[in-house]
Amino acid sequence: MSPDGPVDETSHIPLTDADTEEMSVDDVTAVENLPQGSAMLLVQRGPDAGARFLLDTDVVTVGRHPDSDIFLDDISVSRRHATFTRTANGYVISDLGSLNGSYVNRDRIDTDVVLSGGDEVQIGKYRLIFFSGVPRTGA
């Protein structure tokens, strides 16, 4: 304590986790070239970090079941964990009653959530970043 009163020794707290990696040039290119109406999930953390999953159909299933569109092979993922559904407003994530739940921006979801570009989706140990294809302007 200083003679003038308590000293605030709070240091800067980064907004990103120390274990979050920068996107590679290939990842940036993939995001920039996403077709309109599609989206991509990039595994930021967890098994298979760096893997990319294209969302380009009306319904994409996620789970530990081998028939899932996005197969996440880890015990923390339910066999039929979640779905991503394309709507007029963009992609919506729905948890299918999974044991460990699904999270968007670290909040557990219990209803359908419309995703925005840059949202973090957590399914089991996997942290995925959501990117959406945007309409291109004519040149």
Side-chain angles (χ1 to χ4, degrees), residues 56-123:
D56 61 351
T57 59
D58 289 338
V59 177
V60 177
T61 60
V62 181
R64 196 169 29 95
H65 192 280
D67 291 339
S68 298
D69 297 319
I70 298 176
F71 175 60
L72 300 178
D73 191 17
D74 187 83
I75 194 70
S76 64
V77 177
S78 294
R79 291 178 65 73
R80 301 195 192 288
H81 199 103
T83 59
F84 291 90
T85 305
R86 182 169 34 201
T87 69
N89 296 325
Y91 274 90
V92 172
I93 182 174
S94 306
D95 185 81
L96 300 177
S98 65
L99 182 62
N100 291 323
S102 299
Y103 296 78
V104 174
N105 298 324
R106 304 202 181 177
D107 292 325
R108 188 170 182 152
I109 63 170
D110 54 6
T111 61
D112 296 351
V113 174
V114 177
L115 295 170
S116 299
D119 281 349
E120 179 189 82
V121 175
Q122 184 172 348
I123 296 175

Coordinates of all heavy atoms in Angstrom, one line a residue, residues 56-123:
D56 N -22.9 -27.0 -45.9 CA -23.4 -26.6 -47.2 C -24.7 -27.3 -47.5 O -25.1 -27.4 -48.7 CB -22.3 -26.8 -48.3 CG -21.9 -28.2 -48.4 OD1 -22.2 -29.1 -47.6 OD2 -21.2 -28.5 -49.4
T57 N -25.3 -28.0 -46.5 CA -26.6 -28.6 -46.8 C -27.6 -28.0 -45.8 O -27.2 -27.3 -44.8 CB -26.5 -30.1 -46.6 OG1 -26.1 -30.4 -45.3 CG2 -25.6 -30.7 -47.6
D58 N -28.9 -28.3 -45.9 CA -29.9 -27.8 -45.1 C -29.8 -28.2 -43.6 O -30.1 -27.5 -42.7 CB -31.3 -28.0 -45.6 CG -31.6 -27.2 -46.9 OD1 -30.9 -26.2 -47.1 OD2 -32.5 -27.7 -47.7
V59 N -29.4 -29.5 -43.4 CA -29.2 -30.0 -42.0 C -27.9 -30.8 -42.0 O -27.6 -31.6 -42.8 CB -30.4 -30.9 -41.6 CG1 -30.1 -31.5 -40.2 CG2 -31.7 -30.2 -41.7
V60 N -27.1 -30.4 -41.0 CA -25.8 -31.1 -40.8 C -25.8 -31.7 -39.4 O -26.0 -30.9 -38.4 CB -24.6 -30.1 -40.9 CG1 -23.3 -30.8 -40.6 CG2 -24.6 -29.5 -42.4
T61 N -25.6 -33.0 -39.3 CA -25.7 -33.6 -37.9 C -24.2 -33.7 -37.4 O -23.3 -33.9 -38.1 CB -26.3 -35.1 -38.0 OG1 -25.5 -35.8 -38.9 CG2 -27.7 -35.0 -38.5
V62 N -24.1 -33.6 -36.1 CA -22.9 -33.7 -35.4 C -23.0 -34.7 -34.2 O -23.9 -34.7 -33.5 CB -22.5 -32.3 -34.8 CG1 -21.1 -32.4 -34.1 CG2 -22.5 -31.2 -35.8
G63 N -22.0 -35.6 -34.1 CA -22.0 -36.5 -33.0 C -20.9 -37.5 -33.1 O -20.0 -37.5 -34.0
R64 N -20.9 -38.5 -32.2 CA -19.9 -39.5 -32.1 C -20.4 -40.7 -32.9 O -19.6 -41.7 -33.1 CB -19.7 -39.9 -30.6 CG -18.4 -40.7 -30.4 CD -18.1 -40.8 -28.9 NE -19.2 -40.8 -28.0 CZ -19.8 -41.8 -27.5 NH1 -19.5 -43.1 -27.8 NH2 -20.8 -41.7 -26.7
H65 N -21.6 -40.7 -33.5 CA -22.1 -41.8 -34.3 C -21.4 -41.7 -35.7 O -21.3 -40.6 -36.2 CB -23.6 -41.7 -34.5 CG -24.2 -42.9 -35.1 ND1 -24.1 -43.2 -36.4 CD2 -24.8 -44.0 -34.5 CE1 -24.7 -44.3 -36.7 NE2 -25.1 -44.8 -35.5
P66 N -20.9 -42.8 -36.2 CA -20.1 -42.8 -37.4 C -20.9 -42.3 -38.6 O -20.3 -41.8 -39.6 CB -19.7 -44.3 -37.7 CG -19.9 -45.0 -36.3 CD -20.9 -44.2 -35.5
D67 N -22.2 -42.3 -38.5 CA -23.0 -41.8 -39.6 C -23.3 -40.3 -39.6 O -24.0 -39.8 -40.4 CB -24.4 -42.6 -39.7 CG -24.3 -44.0 -40.1 OD1 -23.2 -44.4 -40.7 OD2 -25.2 -44.8 -39.8
S68 N -22.8 -39.7 -38.6 CA -22.9 -38.2 -38.4 C -22.2 -37.5 -39.6 O -21.2 -38.0 -40.0 CB -22.3 -37.7 -37.1 OG -23.0 -38.3 -36.0
D69 N -22.8 -36.4 -40.0 CA -22.1 -35.6 -41.1 C -20.8 -35.1 -40.6 O -19.8 -35.1 -41.3 CB -23.0 -34.4 -41.5 CG -24.3 -34.9 -42.1 OD1 -24.3 -35.9 -42.9 OD2 -25.4 -34.3 -41.8
I70 N -20.8 -34.6 -39.3 CA -19.5 -34.2 -38.7 C -19.3 -35.2 -37.5 O -20.0 -35.2 -36.5 CB -19.6 -32.8 -38.2 CG1 -19.8 -31.8 -39.3 CG2 -18.3 -32.4 -37.4 CD1 -20.0 -30.4 -38.9
F71 N -18.3 -36.1 -37.8 CA -18.0 -37.2 -36.8 C -16.9 -36.7 -35.9 O -15.8 -36.4 -36.3 CB -17.5 -38.4 -37.6 CG -17.1 -39.5 -36.7 CD1 -17.9 -40.1 -35.8 CD2 -15.8 -40.0 -36.9 CE1 -17.4 -41.2 -35.0 CE2 -15.3 -41.1 -36.1 CZ -16.2 -41.7 -35.1
L72 N -17.3 -36.5 -34.6 CA -16.3 -36.1 -33.6 C -16.1 -37.2 -32.6 O -16.9 -37.6 -31.8 CB -16.9 -34.9 -32.8 CG -17.2 -33.6 -33.6 CD1 -17.8 -32.5 -32.8 CD2 -15.9 -33.1 -34.4
D73 N -15.0 -37.9 -32.8 CA -14.7 -39.1 -32.1 C -14.0 -38.9 -30.7 O -12.8 -39.0 -30.6 CB -13.8 -40.0 -33.0 CG -13.6 -41.4 -32.4 OD1 -14.4 -41.8 -31.6 OD2 -12.7 -42.1 -32.9
D74 N -14.9 -38.5 -29.8 CA -14.4 -38.3 -28.4 C -15.5 -38.6 -27.5 O -16.7 -38.3 -27.7 CB -13.9 -36.9 -28.2 CG -13.3 -36.7 -26.9 OD1 -12.0 -37.0 -26.7 OD2 -13.9 -36.3 -25.9
I75 N -15.2 -39.3 -26.3 CA -16.2 -39.7 -25.4 C -17.0 -38.5 -24.8 O -18.2 -38.7 -24.3 CB -15.6 -40.5 -24.2 CG1 -16.7 -41.3 -23.4 CG2 -14.7 -39.7 -23.3 CD1 -17.3 -42.4 -24.2
S76 N -16.5 -37.3 -24.9 CA -17.2 -36.1 -24.4 C -18.4 -35.7 -25.3 O -19.1 -34.8 -25.0 CB -16.3 -34.9 -24.2 OG -15.7 -34.5 -25.4
V77 N -18.4 -36.3 -26.5 CA -19.5 -36.0 -27.5 C -20.5 -37.1 -27.5 O -20.1 -38.3 -27.6 CB -18.8 -35.8 -28.9 CG1 -19.9 -35.6 -30.0 CG2 -17.7 -34.7 -28.9
S78 N -21.8 -36.7 -27.5 CA -22.8 -37.7 -27.5 C -22.9 -38.3 -28.9 O -22.5 -37.7 -29.9 CB -24.2 -37.1 -27.2 OG -24.2 -36.7 -25.8
R79 N -23.5 -39.5 -29.0 CA -23.6 -40.1 -30.4 C -24.4 -39.3 -31.3 O -24.0 -39.1 -32.5 CB -24.2 -41.5 -30.2 CG -23.3 -42.5 -29.5 CD -23.9 -43.9 -29.3 NE -24.1 -44.6 -30.5 CZ -23.2 -45.2 -31.3 NH1 -21.9 -45.0 -31.0 NH2 -23.5 -45.8 -32.4
R80 N -25.5 -38.7 -30.9 CA -26.2 -37.7 -31.7 C -26.3 -36.5 -30.8 O -27.2 -36.3 -30.0 CB -27.6 -38.3 -32.0 CG -27.5 -39.6 -32.8 CD -28.8 -40.0 -33.4 NE -28.8 -41.4 -33.9 CZ -28.1 -41.8 -34.9 NH1 -27.4 -41.0 -35.6 NH2 -28.2 -43.1 -35.3
H81 N -25.4 -35.6 -31.1 CA -25.1 -34.4 -30.2 C -25.9 -33.2 -30.5 O -26.6 -32.6 -29.7 CB -23.6 -34.1 -30.1 CG -23.2 -33.3 -28.9 ND1 -22.6 -33.9 -27.8 CD2 -23.4 -32.0 -28.6 CE1 -22.4 -32.9 -26.9 NE2 -22.8 -31.8 -27.4
A82 N -25.8 -32.8 -31.8 CA -26.4 -31.5 -32.2 C -26.6 -31.5 -33.7 O -26.1 -32.4 -34.4 CB -25.5 -30.3 -31.8
T83 N -27.4 -30.5 -34.2 CA -27.6 -30.3 -35.6 C -27.4 -28.8 -35.9 O -27.6 -27.9 -35.1 CB -29.0 -30.7 -36.1 OG1 -30.0 -29.9 -35.4 CG2 -29.3 -32.1 -35.9
F84 N -26.9 -28.6 -37.1 CA -26.8 -27.2 -37.7 C -27.8 -27.2 -38.8 O -27.8 -28.0 -39.7 CB -25.4 -26.9 -38.2 CG -24.4 -26.8 -37.1 CD1 -23.7 -27.9 -36.7 CD2 -24.1 -25.6 -36.5 CE1 -22.7 -27.8 -35.7 CE2 -23.2 -25.5 -35.5 CZ -22.5 -26.6 -35.1
T85 N -28.8 -26.3 -38.8 CA -29.8 -26.2 -39.8 C -29.8 -24.8 -40.5 O -29.7 -23.8 -39.8 CB -31.2 -26.3 -39.1 OG1 -31.2 -27.6 -38.3 CG2 -32.3 -26.4 -40.1
R86 N -29.8 -24.9 -41.8 CA -29.8 -23.6 -42.6 C -31.2 -23.1 -42.6 O -32.1 -23.8 -43.0 CB -29.3 -23.9 -44.0 CG -29.2 -22.7 -44.9 CD -28.4 -22.8 -46.2 NE -28.6 -24.1 -46.8 CZ -27.7 -24.6 -47.7 NH1 -26.7 -24.0 -48.0 NH2 -27.9 -25.8 -48.2
T87 N -31.4 -21.8 -42.3 CA -32.6 -21.1 -42.3 C -32.5 -19.8 -43.1 O -31.4 -19.5 -43.5 CB -33.1 -20.8 -40.9 OG1 -32.3 -19.7 -40.4 CG2 -33.1 -22.0 -40.0
A88 N -33.6 -19.1 -43.3 CA -33.5 -17.8 -44.0 C -32.6 -16.8 -43.2 O -32.1 -15.9 -43.8 CB -34.9 -17.2 -44.2
N89 N -32.5 -17.0 -41.9 CA -31.7 -16.1 -41.1 C -30.2 -16.6 -40.9 O -29.5 -15.9 -40.2 CB -32.3 -16.0 -39.7 CG -33.7 -15.3 -39.7 OD1 -33.9 -14.4 -40.6 ND2 -34.6 -15.8 -38.9
G90 N -29.9 -17.7 -41.5 CA -28.5 -18.2 -41.3 C -28.6 -19.6 -40.7 O -29.6 -20.2 -40.7
Y91 N -27.5 -20.1 -40.2 CA -27.4 -21.4 -39.6 C -27.8 -21.3 -38.1 O -27.4 -20.4 -37.4 CB -26.0 -22.0 -39.7 CG -25.9 -22.7 -41.0 CD1 -25.4 -22.1 -42.1 CD2 -26.2 -24.1 -41.1 CE1 -25.3 -22.8 -43.3 CE2 -26.1 -24.7 -42.3 CZ -25.6 -24.1 -43.4 OH -25.5 -24.8 -44.6
V92 N -28.6 -22.3 -37.7 CA -29.1 -22.4 -36.3 C -28.5 -23.7 -35.7 O -28.5 -24.8 -36.4 CB -30.6 -22.5 -36.3 CG1 -31.1 -22.8 -34.9 CG2 -31.2 -21.2 -36.8
I93 N -28.0 -23.6 -34.5 CA -27.5 -24.9 -33.8 C -28.6 -25.3 -32.8 O -29.2 -24.5 -32.2 CB -26.2 -24.7 -33.1 CG1 -25.7 -26.0 -32.4 CG2 -26.2 -23.5 -32.1 CD1 -24.4 -26.0 -31.8
S94 N -28.8 -26.6 -32.8 CA -29.8 -27.2 -31.9 C -29.1 -28.3 -31.1 O -28.5 -29.2 -31.8 CB -31.0 -27.8 -32.6 OG -31.6 -26.8 -33.4
D95 N -29.2 -28.3 -29.8 CA -28.6 -29.5 -29.1 C -29.7 -30.5 -29.1 O -30.9 -30.3 -29.0 CB -28.3 -29.0 -27.6 CG -27.7 -30.1 -26.8 OD1 -26.5 -30.3 -27.0 OD2 -28.4 -30.8 -26.1
L96 N -29.3 -31.8 -29.2 CA -30.3 -32.9 -29.3 C -30.4 -33.7 -28.0 O -30.6 -34.9 -27.9 CB -29.8 -33.9 -30.4 CG -29.7 -33.3 -31.8 CD1 -29.2 -34.3 -32.8 CD2 -31.1 -32.7 -32.2
G97 N -30.3 -32.9 -26.8 CA -30.4 -33.6 -25.5 C -29.1 -34.3 -25.1 O -29.1 -35.2 -24.4
S98 N -28.0 -33.8 -25.6 CA -26.7 -34.4 -25.3 C -26.4 -34.3 -23.8 O -26.9 -33.4 -23.1 CB -25.6 -33.7 -26.1 OG -25.5 -32.3 -25.6
L99 N -25.6 -35.3 -23.3 CA -25.3 -35.3 -21.9 C -24.4 -34.1 -21.5 O -24.7 -33.5 -20.5 CB -24.5 -36.6 -21.6 CG -24.1 -36.8 -20.2 CD1 -25.3 -37.0 -19.3 CD2 -23.2 -38.1 -20.1
N100 N -23.4 -33.7 -22.3 CA -22.6 -32.6 -21.9 C -23.0 -31.3 -22.4 O -22.4 -30.2 -22.1 CB -21.1 -32.9 -22.4 CG -20.5 -34.0 -21.6 OD1 -20.7 -34.2 -20.4 ND2 -19.7 -34.9 -22.3
G101 N -24.1 -31.2 -23.2 CA -24.6 -30.0 -23.7 C -23.8 -29.4 -24.9 O -22.7 -29.9 -25.2
S102 N -24.4 -28.4 -25.5 CA -23.7 -27.6 -26.5 C -23.7 -26.2 -26.0 O -24.6 -25.7 -25.3 CB -24.5 -27.7 -27.8 OG -24.6 -29.0 -28.3
Y103 N -22.6 -25.5 -26.4 CA -22.4 -24.1 -25.9 C -22.1 -23.2 -27.1 O -21.5 -23.6 -28.1 CB -21.2 -24.1 -25.0 CG -21.4 -24.9 -23.7 CD1 -21.2 -26.3 -23.8 CD2 -21.7 -24.2 -22.5 CE1 -21.4 -27.0 -22.6 CE2 -21.9 -25.0 -21.4 CZ -21.7 -26.4 -21.4 OH -21.9 -27.1 -20.3
V104 N -22.6 -22.0 -27.0 CA -22.3 -20.9 -28.0 C -21.8 -19.7 -27.2 O -22.4 -19.2 -26.3 CB -23.6 -20.5 -28.8 CG1 -23.3 -19.3 -29.7 CG2 -24.1 -21.6 -29.6
N105 N -20.6 -19.4 -27.5 CA -19.8 -18.3 -26.8 C -19.8 -18.6 -25.3 O -20.1 -17.7 -24.5 CB -20.4 -16.9 -27.1 CG -20.3 -16.6 -28.6 OD1 -19.3 -17.0 -29.2 ND2 -21.3 -16.0 -29.2
R106 N -19.6 -19.8 -25.0 CA -19.5 -20.3 -23.6 C -20.7 -20.3 -22.8 O -20.7 -20.6 -21.6 CB -18.3 -19.6 -22.9 CG -17.0 -19.7 -23.7 CD -15.9 -19.5 -22.9 NE -14.7 -19.7 -23.7 CZ -13.5 -19.5 -23.4 NH1 -13.2 -19.2 -22.1 NH2 -12.5 -19.6 -24.2
D107 N -21.9 -20.1 -23.4 CA -23.2 -20.2 -22.7 C -23.9 -21.5 -23.2 O -24.0 -21.7 -24.4 CB -24.1 -19.0 -23.1 CG -23.6 -17.7 -22.5 OD1 -23.0 -17.8 -21.3 OD2 -23.7 -16.7 -23.1
R108 N -24.3 -22.3 -22.2 CA -25.0 -23.6 -22.6 C -26.3 -23.2 -23.2 O -27.0 -22.3 -22.7 CB -25.2 -24.4 -21.4 CG -25.8 -25.8 -21.7 CD -25.8 -26.7 -20.5 NE -26.3 -28.0 -21.0 CZ -25.9 -29.2 -20.4 NH1 -25.1 -29.2 -19.4 NH2 -26.4 -30.3 -20.8
I109 N -26.6 -23.8 -24.3 CA -27.9 -23.5 -25.0 C -29.0 -24.6 -24.7 O -28.7 -25.7 -24.5 CB -27.7 -23.5 -26.5 CG1 -27.3 -24.8 -27.1 CG2 -26.7 -22.4 -26.9 CD1 -27.3 -24.9 -28.6
D110 N -30.2 -24.1 -24.5 CA -31.3 -25.0 -24.3 C -32.4 -24.7 -25.3 O -33.4 -25.4 -25.3 CB -31.8 -24.9 -22.9 CG -32.2 -23.5 -22.5 OD1 -32.2 -22.6 -23.3 OD2 -32.6 -23.3 -21.3
T111 N -32.2 -23.8 -26.2 CA -33.1 -23.5 -27.3 C -32.2 -23.4 -28.6 O -31.0 -23.3 -28.5 CB -33.9 -22.2 -27.1 OG1 -33.0 -21.1 -27.0 CG2 -34.8 -22.3 -25.9
D112 N -32.9 -23.3 -29.7 CA -32.1 -23.1 -31.0 C -31.5 -21.7 -30.9 O -32.1 -20.7 -30.5 CB -33.1 -23.1 -32.2 CG -33.7 -24.5 -32.4 OD1 -33.3 -25.5 -31.7 OD2 -34.6 -24.6 -33.2
V113 N -30.2 -21.6 -31.5 CA -29.5 -20.4 -31.5 C -29.0 -20.1 -32.9 O -28.4 -20.9 -33.5 CB -28.3 -20.4 -30.5 CG1 -27.4 -19.2 -30.6 CG2 -28.8 -20.6 -29.1
V114 N -29.3 -18.9 -33.4 CA -28.9 -18.4 -34.7 C -27.4 -18.0 -34.5 O -27.1 -17.2 -33.6 CB -29.7 -17.3 -35.3 CG1 -29.1 -16.8 -36.6 CG2 -31.1 -17.7 -35.4
L115 N -26.5 -18.6 -35.4 CA -25.1 -18.3 -35.2 C -24.7 -17.1 -36.1 O -25.3 -16.8 -37.1 CB -24.3 -19.5 -35.7 CG -24.5 -20.7 -34.8 CD1 -23.8 -22.0 -35.4 CD2 -23.9 -20.5 -33.4
S116 N -23.7 -16.3 -35.6 CA -23.1 -15.2 -36.3 C -21.7 -15.5 -36.5 O -21.0 -16.3 -35.8 CB -23.2 -13.9 -35.5 OG -24.6 -13.6 -35.2
G117 N -21.1 -14.9 -37.6 CA -19.7 -15.1 -37.9 C -18.8 -14.8 -36.7 O -19.0 -13.8 -36.0
G118 N -17.9 -15.8 -36.4 CA -17.0 -15.6 -35.3 C -17.4 -16.2 -34.0 O -16.7 -16.3 -33.0
D119 N -18.7 -16.7 -33.9 CA -19.2 -17.4 -32.7 C -18.4 -18.6 -32.4 O -17.9 -19.3 -33.3 CB -20.7 -17.8 -32.8 CG -21.6 -16.7 -32.7 OD1 -21.2 -15.6 -32.2 OD2 -22.8 -16.8 -33.0
E120 N -18.1 -18.9 -31.1 CA -17.5 -20.1 -30.7 C -18.5 -21.1 -30.3 O -19.4 -20.8 -29.5 CB -16.6 -19.8 -29.5 CG -15.9 -21.1 -29.0 CD -15.1 -20.9 -27.7 OE1 -15.8 -20.9 -26.6 OE2 -13.9 -20.6 -27.7
V121 N -18.5 -22.3 -30.9 CA -19.4 -23.4 -30.6 C -18.6 -24.4 -29.9 O -17.5 -24.8 -30.4 CB -20.0 -23.9 -31.9 CG1 -20.9 -25.2 -31.6 CG2 -20.8 -22.9 -32.6
Q122 N -19.0 -24.9 -28.7 CA -18.4 -26.0 -28.0 C -19.2 -27.2 -28.0 O -20.4 -27.1 -27.6 CB -18.0 -25.6 -26.6 CG -17.2 -26.7 -25.9 CD -16.6 -26.2 -24.6 OE1 -16.6 -25.0 -24.3 NE2 -16.1 -27.2 -23.8
I123 N -18.7 -28.3 -28.5 CA -19.3 -29.6 -28.5 C -18.3 -30.6 -27.8 O -17.3 -30.8 -28.4 CB -19.8 -30.0 -29.9 CG1 -20.8 -29.0 -30.4 CG2 -20.3 -31.5 -29.9 CD1 -21.2 -29.3 -31.9

